[in-house]
Short mmCIF file of all heavy atoms in Angstrom, two decimals:
data_model
loop_
_atom_site.label_atom_id
_atom_site.label_comp_id
_atom_site.label_asym_id
_atom_site.label_seq_id
_atom_site.Cartn_x
_atom_site.Cartn_y
_atom_site.Cartn_z
N MET A 1 72.44 111.40 129.61
CA MET A 1 73.58 112.28 129.41
C MET A 1 74.79 111.78 130.18
O MET A 1 75.91 111.96 129.76
CB MET A 1 73.20 113.69 129.85
CG MET A 1 74.17 114.74 129.44
SD MET A 1 74.09 114.97 127.68
CE MET A 1 75.28 116.23 127.49
N GLY A 2 74.54 111.12 131.29
CA GLY A 2 75.63 110.60 132.12
C GLY A 2 76.38 109.47 131.43
O GLY A 2 77.58 109.28 131.65
N VAL A 3 75.66 108.71 130.58
CA VAL A 3 76.29 107.61 129.86
C VAL A 3 77.35 108.13 128.89
O VAL A 3 78.39 107.51 128.70
CB VAL A 3 75.22 106.77 129.13
CG1 VAL A 3 75.85 105.70 128.28
CG2 VAL A 3 74.24 106.18 130.11
N ILE A 4 77.09 109.26 128.29
CA ILE A 4 78.04 109.85 127.34
C ILE A 4 79.34 110.20 128.05
O ILE A 4 80.43 109.94 127.53
CB ILE A 4 77.43 111.09 126.66
CG1 ILE A 4 76.27 110.67 125.76
CG2 ILE A 4 78.49 111.84 125.86
CD1 ILE A 4 75.52 111.82 125.16
N TYR A 5 79.25 110.73 129.25
CA TYR A 5 80.45 111.07 130.00
C TYR A 5 81.24 109.81 130.39
O TYR A 5 82.47 109.80 130.35
CB TYR A 5 80.09 111.87 131.25
CG TYR A 5 79.52 113.23 130.94
CD1 TYR A 5 78.31 113.64 131.50
CD2 TYR A 5 80.16 114.11 130.07
CE1 TYR A 5 77.78 114.89 131.23
CE2 TYR A 5 79.64 115.35 129.78
CZ TYR A 5 78.45 115.74 130.35
OH TYR A 5 77.94 116.96 130.07
N VAL A 6 80.54 108.77 130.74
CA VAL A 6 81.20 107.51 131.11
C VAL A 6 81.90 106.93 129.89
O VAL A 6 83.07 106.51 129.96
CB VAL A 6 80.18 106.51 131.70
CG1 VAL A 6 80.81 105.14 131.87
CG2 VAL A 6 79.63 107.02 133.01
N LEU A 7 81.21 106.87 128.77
CA LEU A 7 81.82 106.32 127.56
C LEU A 7 82.98 107.17 127.08
O LEU A 7 83.99 106.65 126.59
CB LEU A 7 80.77 106.18 126.46
CG LEU A 7 79.71 105.12 126.68
CD1 LEU A 7 78.68 105.16 125.56
CD2 LEU A 7 80.35 103.75 126.76
N LEU A 8 82.88 108.46 127.20
CA LEU A 8 83.96 109.36 126.80
C LEU A 8 85.19 109.15 127.67
O LEU A 8 86.31 109.07 127.15
CB LEU A 8 83.48 110.80 126.87
CG LEU A 8 84.44 111.86 126.33
CD1 LEU A 8 84.70 111.63 124.86
CD2 LEU A 8 83.87 113.24 126.56
N THR A 9 85.01 109.04 128.96
CA THR A 9 86.16 108.82 129.83
C THR A 9 86.80 107.45 129.60
O THR A 9 88.02 107.32 129.60
CB THR A 9 85.77 108.97 131.31
OG1 THR A 9 84.69 108.10 131.60
CG2 THR A 9 85.42 110.38 131.65
N ILE A 10 85.98 106.43 129.36
CA ILE A 10 86.52 105.10 129.08
C ILE A 10 87.31 105.11 127.77
O ILE A 10 88.40 104.53 127.69
CB ILE A 10 85.39 104.05 129.04
CG1 ILE A 10 84.84 103.83 130.44
CG2 ILE A 10 85.88 102.73 128.46
CD1 ILE A 10 83.62 102.94 130.49
N SER A 11 86.80 105.77 126.75
CA SER A 11 87.51 105.80 125.47
C SER A 11 88.81 106.60 125.58
O SER A 11 89.82 106.23 124.96
CB SER A 11 86.62 106.38 124.38
OG SER A 11 86.32 107.73 124.66
N ILE A 12 88.83 107.65 126.37
CA ILE A 12 90.07 108.41 126.56
C ILE A 12 91.08 107.58 127.32
O ILE A 12 92.28 107.59 126.99
CB ILE A 12 89.77 109.75 127.26
CG1 ILE A 12 89.03 110.67 126.30
CG2 ILE A 12 91.04 110.40 127.77
CD1 ILE A 12 88.55 111.97 126.91
N ILE A 13 90.65 106.84 128.32
CA ILE A 13 91.55 105.97 129.08
C ILE A 13 92.15 104.88 128.18
O ILE A 13 93.35 104.61 128.23
CB ILE A 13 90.82 105.36 130.29
CG1 ILE A 13 90.54 106.45 131.32
CG2 ILE A 13 91.63 104.23 130.91
CD1 ILE A 13 89.64 106.01 132.45
N VAL A 14 91.33 104.27 127.34
CA VAL A 14 91.82 103.25 126.42
C VAL A 14 92.81 103.85 125.42
O VAL A 14 93.85 103.26 125.12
CB VAL A 14 90.64 102.56 125.69
CG1 VAL A 14 91.12 101.69 124.55
CG2 VAL A 14 89.83 101.75 126.67
N ALA A 15 92.53 105.04 124.92
CA ALA A 15 93.44 105.71 123.99
C ALA A 15 94.77 106.02 124.66
O ALA A 15 95.84 105.85 124.05
CB ALA A 15 92.80 106.98 123.45
N ILE A 16 94.74 106.44 125.90
CA ILE A 16 95.98 106.72 126.63
C ILE A 16 96.78 105.44 126.85
O ILE A 16 98.01 105.43 126.72
CB ILE A 16 95.66 107.44 127.96
CG1 ILE A 16 95.17 108.86 127.67
CG2 ILE A 16 96.87 107.47 128.88
CD1 ILE A 16 94.64 109.59 128.89
N ILE A 17 96.10 104.35 127.15
CA ILE A 17 96.79 103.07 127.34
C ILE A 17 97.49 102.64 126.06
O ILE A 17 98.66 102.20 126.07
CB ILE A 17 95.80 101.99 127.83
CG1 ILE A 17 95.38 102.29 129.27
CG2 ILE A 17 96.41 100.60 127.74
CD1 ILE A 17 94.25 101.43 129.76
N PHE A 18 96.81 102.75 124.91
CA PHE A 18 97.44 102.38 123.64
C PHE A 18 98.59 103.32 123.31
O PHE A 18 99.61 102.89 122.78
CB PHE A 18 96.41 102.38 122.51
CG PHE A 18 95.61 101.12 122.45
CD1 PHE A 18 94.26 101.14 122.78
CD2 PHE A 18 96.18 99.93 122.08
CE1 PHE A 18 93.51 99.99 122.73
CE2 PHE A 18 95.44 98.76 122.02
CZ PHE A 18 94.10 98.79 122.35
N PHE A 19 98.46 104.59 123.61
CA PHE A 19 99.54 105.54 123.35
C PHE A 19 100.76 105.23 124.21
O PHE A 19 101.90 105.25 123.72
CB PHE A 19 99.06 106.97 123.61
CG PHE A 19 100.07 108.01 123.30
CD1 PHE A 19 100.47 108.25 121.98
CD2 PHE A 19 100.66 108.75 124.31
CE1 PHE A 19 101.42 109.21 121.69
CE2 PHE A 19 101.60 109.71 124.03
CZ PHE A 19 101.99 109.94 122.72
N VAL A 20 100.55 104.90 125.47
CA VAL A 20 101.67 104.54 126.35
C VAL A 20 102.33 103.25 125.87
O VAL A 20 103.57 103.14 125.86
CB VAL A 20 101.18 104.42 127.81
CG1 VAL A 20 102.23 103.79 128.71
CG2 VAL A 20 100.78 105.78 128.35
N ALA A 21 101.54 102.27 125.43
CA ALA A 21 102.12 101.03 124.91
C ALA A 21 102.94 101.30 123.65
O ALA A 21 104.01 100.70 123.46
CB ALA A 21 101.00 100.03 124.60
N PHE A 22 102.49 102.21 122.81
CA PHE A 22 103.24 102.57 121.62
C PHE A 22 104.56 103.24 121.97
O PHE A 22 105.61 102.92 121.42
CB PHE A 22 102.40 103.50 120.73
CG PHE A 22 103.14 104.03 119.55
CD1 PHE A 22 103.45 103.22 118.48
CD2 PHE A 22 103.55 105.36 119.52
CE1 PHE A 22 104.14 103.72 117.39
CE2 PHE A 22 104.24 105.86 118.44
CZ PHE A 22 104.54 105.04 117.37
N ILE A 23 104.53 104.17 122.92
CA ILE A 23 105.74 104.87 123.34
C ILE A 23 106.74 103.88 123.95
O ILE A 23 107.95 103.93 123.65
CB ILE A 23 105.41 106.00 124.34
CG1 ILE A 23 104.57 107.07 123.67
CG2 ILE A 23 106.66 106.60 124.95
CD1 ILE A 23 105.25 107.77 122.52
N ILE A 24 106.27 102.95 124.75
CA ILE A 24 107.16 101.95 125.35
C ILE A 24 107.78 101.07 124.28
O ILE A 24 108.98 100.76 124.33
CB ILE A 24 106.38 101.11 126.39
CG1 ILE A 24 106.05 101.97 127.61
CG2 ILE A 24 107.17 99.88 126.82
CD1 ILE A 24 105.12 101.31 128.60
N SER A 25 107.01 100.65 123.29
CA SER A 25 107.56 99.80 122.24
C SER A 25 108.57 100.54 121.38
O SER A 25 109.56 99.96 120.94
CB SER A 25 106.44 99.23 121.37
OG SER A 25 105.80 100.25 120.65
N VAL A 26 108.37 101.83 121.16
CA VAL A 26 109.35 102.61 120.40
C VAL A 26 110.64 102.76 121.20
O VAL A 26 111.74 102.64 120.65
CB VAL A 26 108.76 103.99 120.02
CG1 VAL A 26 109.84 104.92 119.51
CG2 VAL A 26 107.67 103.82 118.99
N ARG A 27 110.53 103.00 122.48
CA ARG A 27 111.72 103.15 123.32
C ARG A 27 112.50 101.84 123.44
O ARG A 27 113.71 101.86 123.59
CB ARG A 27 111.34 103.63 124.71
CG ARG A 27 110.97 105.08 124.74
CD ARG A 27 110.78 105.54 126.15
NE ARG A 27 110.42 106.96 126.16
CZ ARG A 27 110.08 107.62 127.24
NH1 ARG A 27 110.06 107.01 128.41
NH2 ARG A 27 109.78 108.89 127.17
N ASN A 28 111.82 100.71 123.39
CA ASN A 28 112.50 99.41 123.50
C ASN A 28 113.09 98.95 122.17
O ASN A 28 113.69 97.89 122.11
CB ASN A 28 111.54 98.35 124.03
CG ASN A 28 111.24 98.55 125.49
OD1 ASN A 28 112.04 99.13 126.22
ND2 ASN A 28 110.09 98.07 125.93
N GLY A 29 112.90 99.71 121.10
CA GLY A 29 113.49 99.37 119.82
C GLY A 29 112.68 98.42 118.97
O GLY A 29 113.21 97.71 118.13
N GLN A 30 111.40 98.39 119.17
CA GLN A 30 110.54 97.49 118.41
C GLN A 30 110.55 97.81 116.91
O GLN A 30 110.45 96.93 116.08
CB GLN A 30 109.10 97.58 118.94
CG GLN A 30 108.12 96.65 118.29
CD GLN A 30 108.32 95.23 118.73
OE1 GLN A 30 108.79 94.97 119.82
NE2 GLN A 30 107.94 94.30 117.88
N TYR A 31 110.73 99.07 116.56
CA TYR A 31 110.65 99.49 115.16
C TYR A 31 112.00 99.89 114.59
O TYR A 31 112.08 100.65 113.64
CB TYR A 31 109.67 100.67 115.04
CG TYR A 31 108.29 100.33 115.53
CD1 TYR A 31 107.81 100.87 116.72
CD2 TYR A 31 107.47 99.47 114.82
CE1 TYR A 31 106.55 100.57 117.18
CE2 TYR A 31 106.21 99.15 115.29
CZ TYR A 31 105.76 99.71 116.46
OH TYR A 31 104.50 99.41 116.92
N ASP A 32 113.09 99.37 115.15
CA ASP A 32 114.42 99.76 114.72
C ASP A 32 114.99 98.91 113.58
O ASP A 32 116.11 99.13 113.16
CB ASP A 32 115.40 99.71 115.89
CG ASP A 32 115.19 100.86 116.85
OD1 ASP A 32 114.49 101.82 116.46
OD2 ASP A 32 115.74 100.81 117.96
N ASP A 33 114.29 97.92 113.11
CA ASP A 33 114.80 97.05 112.07
C ASP A 33 114.72 97.75 110.71
O ASP A 33 113.66 97.89 110.14
CB ASP A 33 114.00 95.75 112.03
CG ASP A 33 114.59 94.73 111.09
OD1 ASP A 33 115.76 94.89 110.69
OD2 ASP A 33 113.89 93.76 110.77
N VAL A 34 115.87 98.18 110.21
CA VAL A 34 115.89 98.87 108.92
C VAL A 34 116.44 97.97 107.82
O VAL A 34 116.36 98.31 106.64
CB VAL A 34 116.71 100.17 108.99
CG1 VAL A 34 116.04 101.16 109.91
CG2 VAL A 34 118.13 99.92 109.43
N TYR A 35 116.99 96.81 108.16
CA TYR A 35 117.59 95.94 107.15
C TYR A 35 116.57 94.98 106.54
O TYR A 35 116.53 94.80 105.34
CB TYR A 35 118.74 95.14 107.76
CG TYR A 35 119.40 94.20 106.79
CD1 TYR A 35 120.13 94.70 105.72
CD2 TYR A 35 119.26 92.83 106.91
CE1 TYR A 35 120.72 93.84 104.82
CE2 TYR A 35 119.84 91.98 106.02
CZ TYR A 35 120.58 92.48 104.97
OH TYR A 35 121.16 91.64 104.08
N THR A 36 115.74 94.37 107.35
CA THR A 36 114.81 93.35 106.87
C THR A 36 113.82 93.86 105.82
O THR A 36 113.57 93.15 104.84
CB THR A 36 114.08 92.71 108.05
OG1 THR A 36 115.04 92.21 108.97
CG2 THR A 36 113.19 91.58 107.59
N PRO A 37 113.22 95.04 105.95
CA PRO A 37 112.27 95.47 104.92
C PRO A 37 112.90 95.60 103.53
O PRO A 37 112.24 95.37 102.53
CB PRO A 37 111.79 96.83 105.41
CG PRO A 37 111.96 96.77 106.88
CD PRO A 37 113.19 95.94 107.11
N SER A 38 114.19 95.90 103.48
CA SER A 38 114.82 96.06 102.17
C SER A 38 115.07 94.72 101.49
O SER A 38 115.19 94.66 100.27
CB SER A 38 116.14 96.81 102.31
OG SER A 38 117.06 96.06 103.08
N ILE A 39 115.14 93.62 102.23
CA ILE A 39 115.38 92.32 101.61
C ILE A 39 114.17 91.40 101.67
O ILE A 39 114.23 90.27 101.21
CB ILE A 39 116.59 91.62 102.27
CG1 ILE A 39 116.32 91.35 103.74
CG2 ILE A 39 117.85 92.42 102.08
CD1 ILE A 39 117.34 90.44 104.38
N ARG A 40 113.08 91.87 102.23
CA ARG A 40 111.89 91.02 102.39
C ARG A 40 111.36 90.56 101.04
O ARG A 40 110.94 89.42 100.88
CB ARG A 40 110.81 91.78 103.15
CG ARG A 40 109.60 90.92 103.45
CD ARG A 40 108.59 91.65 104.28
NE ARG A 40 109.18 91.94 105.59
CZ ARG A 40 108.90 93.01 106.30
NH1 ARG A 40 108.03 93.89 105.85
NH2 ARG A 40 109.45 93.21 107.47
N MET A 41 111.40 91.43 100.04
CA MET A 41 110.86 91.03 98.74
C MET A 41 111.69 89.95 98.09
O MET A 41 111.20 89.18 97.28
CB MET A 41 110.74 92.25 97.83
CG MET A 41 112.03 92.87 97.44
SD MET A 41 111.71 94.25 96.37
CE MET A 41 113.21 95.15 96.60
N LEU A 42 112.96 89.83 98.45
CA LEU A 42 113.79 88.78 97.90
C LEU A 42 113.40 87.41 98.45
O LEU A 42 113.46 86.41 97.74
CB LEU A 42 115.27 89.07 98.20
CG LEU A 42 115.80 90.39 97.65
CD1 LEU A 42 117.22 90.61 98.13
CD2 LEU A 42 115.74 90.42 96.15
N PHE A 43 113.02 87.35 99.70
CA PHE A 43 112.65 86.08 100.30
C PHE A 43 111.28 85.61 99.86
O PHE A 43 111.04 84.42 99.79
CB PHE A 43 112.69 86.19 101.83
CG PHE A 43 114.07 86.35 102.37
CD1 PHE A 43 114.37 87.40 103.23
CD2 PHE A 43 115.08 85.48 102.03
CE1 PHE A 43 115.64 87.55 103.72
CE2 PHE A 43 116.35 85.63 102.52
CZ PHE A 43 116.64 86.66 103.38
N ASP A 44 110.37 86.50 99.52
CA ASP A 44 109.04 86.10 99.08
C ASP A 44 109.11 85.30 97.78
O ASP A 44 108.42 84.31 97.62
CB ASP A 44 108.15 87.31 98.90
CG ASP A 44 107.74 87.92 100.21
OD1 ASP A 44 107.82 87.24 101.23
OD2 ASP A 44 107.31 89.09 100.19
N ASP A 45 109.95 85.70 96.84
CA ASP A 45 110.08 84.97 95.58
C ASP A 45 110.63 83.58 95.81
O ASP A 45 110.20 82.62 95.19
CB ASP A 45 110.98 85.73 94.61
CG ASP A 45 110.32 87.00 94.10
OD1 ASP A 45 109.09 87.08 94.13
OD2 ASP A 45 111.05 87.90 93.67
N GLU A 46 111.60 83.43 96.71
CA GLU A 46 112.16 82.12 96.97
C GLU A 46 111.14 81.18 97.60
O GLU A 46 111.09 80.01 97.28
CB GLU A 46 113.38 82.26 97.88
CG GLU A 46 114.55 82.94 97.20
CD GLU A 46 115.72 83.15 98.14
OE1 GLU A 46 115.64 82.66 99.28
OE2 GLU A 46 116.67 83.82 97.74
N LEU A 47 110.29 81.70 98.47
CA LEU A 47 109.28 80.87 99.09
C LEU A 47 108.27 80.37 98.07
O LEU A 47 107.83 79.24 98.13
CB LEU A 47 108.58 81.63 100.21
CG LEU A 47 109.43 81.98 101.42
CD1 LEU A 47 108.63 82.86 102.37
CD2 LEU A 47 109.91 80.74 102.12
N VAL A 48 107.91 81.19 97.11
CA VAL A 48 106.96 80.77 96.08
C VAL A 48 107.57 79.70 95.20
O VAL A 48 106.95 78.71 94.87
CB VAL A 48 106.51 82.00 95.24
CG1 VAL A 48 105.70 81.56 94.05
CG2 VAL A 48 105.72 82.96 96.11
N LYS A 49 108.83 79.86 94.83
CA LYS A 49 109.50 78.87 93.99
C LYS A 49 109.61 77.53 94.71
O LYS A 49 109.40 76.49 94.13
CB LYS A 49 110.89 79.37 93.60
CG LYS A 49 110.87 80.50 92.62
CD LYS A 49 112.28 80.97 92.31
CE LYS A 49 112.26 82.18 91.41
NZ LYS A 49 113.62 82.70 91.15
N GLU A 50 109.92 77.55 96.00
CA GLU A 50 110.04 76.31 96.75
C GLU A 50 108.71 75.60 96.85
O GLU A 50 108.64 74.40 96.72
CB GLU A 50 110.59 76.59 98.15
CG GLU A 50 112.05 76.97 98.15
CD GLU A 50 112.55 77.29 99.55
OE1 GLU A 50 111.78 77.08 100.52
OE2 GLU A 50 113.68 77.75 99.67
N SER A 51 107.64 76.34 97.06
CA SER A 51 106.34 75.69 97.19
C SER A 51 105.89 75.09 95.87
O SER A 51 105.26 74.06 95.83
CB SER A 51 105.30 76.68 97.72
OG SER A 51 105.08 77.70 96.77
N LYS A 52 106.24 75.73 94.73
CA LYS A 52 105.90 75.16 93.44
C LYS A 52 106.69 73.88 93.19
O LYS A 52 106.17 72.91 92.68
CB LYS A 52 106.18 76.17 92.32
CG LYS A 52 105.19 77.30 92.27
CD LYS A 52 105.51 78.24 91.12
CE LYS A 52 104.53 79.39 91.07
NZ LYS A 52 104.85 80.33 90.00
N LYS A 53 107.96 73.87 93.58
CA LYS A 53 108.77 72.67 93.42
C LYS A 53 108.24 71.53 94.28
O LYS A 53 108.16 70.40 93.85
CB LYS A 53 110.23 72.96 93.79
CG LYS A 53 110.95 73.81 92.78
CD LYS A 53 112.37 74.07 93.23
CE LYS A 53 113.09 74.98 92.26
NZ LYS A 53 114.47 75.29 92.70
N LYS A 54 107.86 71.85 95.49
CA LYS A 54 107.34 70.82 96.38
C LYS A 54 106.03 70.26 95.85
O LYS A 54 105.79 69.06 95.91
CB LYS A 54 107.13 71.39 97.78
CG LYS A 54 108.42 71.64 98.51
CD LYS A 54 108.16 72.20 99.88
CE LYS A 54 109.47 72.52 100.59
NZ LYS A 54 109.24 73.10 101.91
N SER A 55 105.17 71.11 95.30
CA SER A 55 103.89 70.62 94.79
C SER A 55 104.10 69.78 93.54
O SER A 55 103.41 68.79 93.34
CB SER A 55 102.95 71.78 94.51
OG SER A 55 103.47 72.59 93.48
N SER A 56 105.06 70.14 92.70
CA SER A 56 105.30 69.35 91.51
C SER A 56 105.94 68.01 91.88
O SER A 56 105.66 66.99 91.27
CB SER A 56 106.19 70.11 90.52
OG SER A 56 107.48 70.32 91.06
N VAL A 57 106.78 67.99 92.89
CA VAL A 57 107.37 66.75 93.34
C VAL A 57 106.32 65.85 93.97
O VAL A 57 106.28 64.65 93.73
CB VAL A 57 108.53 67.04 94.35
CG1 VAL A 57 108.99 65.76 95.01
CG2 VAL A 57 109.69 67.72 93.65
N SER A 58 105.44 66.42 94.74
CA SER A 58 104.40 65.61 95.39
C SER A 58 103.40 65.08 94.36
O SER A 58 102.91 63.97 94.52
CB SER A 58 103.68 66.43 96.47
OG SER A 58 103.01 67.51 95.87
N THR A 59 103.11 65.80 93.30
CA THR A 59 102.20 65.28 92.28
C THR A 59 102.86 64.20 91.46
O THR A 59 102.21 63.26 91.02
CB THR A 59 101.72 66.42 91.35
OG1 THR A 59 102.84 67.09 90.78
CG2 THR A 59 100.85 67.40 92.10
N LYS A 60 104.18 64.29 91.25
CA LYS A 60 104.89 63.25 90.52
C LYS A 60 104.90 61.96 91.33
O LYS A 60 104.75 60.88 90.77
CB LYS A 60 106.32 63.68 90.20
CG LYS A 60 106.39 64.75 89.14
CD LYS A 60 107.83 65.14 88.88
CE LYS A 60 107.92 66.25 87.86
NZ LYS A 60 109.31 66.69 87.62
N THR A 61 105.09 62.04 92.61
CA THR A 61 105.10 60.83 93.43
C THR A 61 103.71 60.24 93.54
O THR A 61 103.55 59.03 93.66
CB THR A 61 105.66 61.14 94.84
OG1 THR A 61 104.87 62.16 95.44
CG2 THR A 61 107.11 61.56 94.76
N LYS A 62 102.68 61.07 93.50
CA LYS A 62 101.32 60.55 93.57
C LYS A 62 100.93 59.85 92.27
O LYS A 62 100.18 58.90 92.28
CB LYS A 62 100.32 61.69 93.85
CG LYS A 62 100.41 62.21 95.23
CD LYS A 62 99.42 63.35 95.44
CE LYS A 62 99.54 63.93 96.83
NZ LYS A 62 98.62 65.06 97.00
N GLN A 63 101.46 60.30 91.15
CA GLN A 63 101.12 59.70 89.86
C GLN A 63 101.81 58.36 89.68
O GLN A 63 101.34 57.49 88.98
CB GLN A 63 101.51 60.64 88.71
CG GLN A 63 100.67 61.90 88.66
CD GLN A 63 101.18 62.87 87.59
OE1 GLN A 63 102.21 62.64 86.98
NE2 GLN A 63 100.43 63.94 87.40
N SER A 64 102.95 58.14 90.32
CA SER A 64 103.72 56.91 90.15
C SER A 64 103.07 55.73 90.78
O SER A 64 102.27 55.66 91.56
CB SER A 64 105.11 57.08 90.76
OG SER A 64 105.78 58.13 90.14
#
């Protein structure tokens, strides 16, 4: 029965540590970026197009 109390206190301490880390990151502005999520989908398409162009260029040079 004593092990349950030890594990319970350890889990509560770990939860408090994660909660404090979350509060500190919110206060420091970690989640304040509101511009990037709105344009993120635009950059994903460009990255896919560039990788396809690079692969087609590399296969053309390998065939030559």
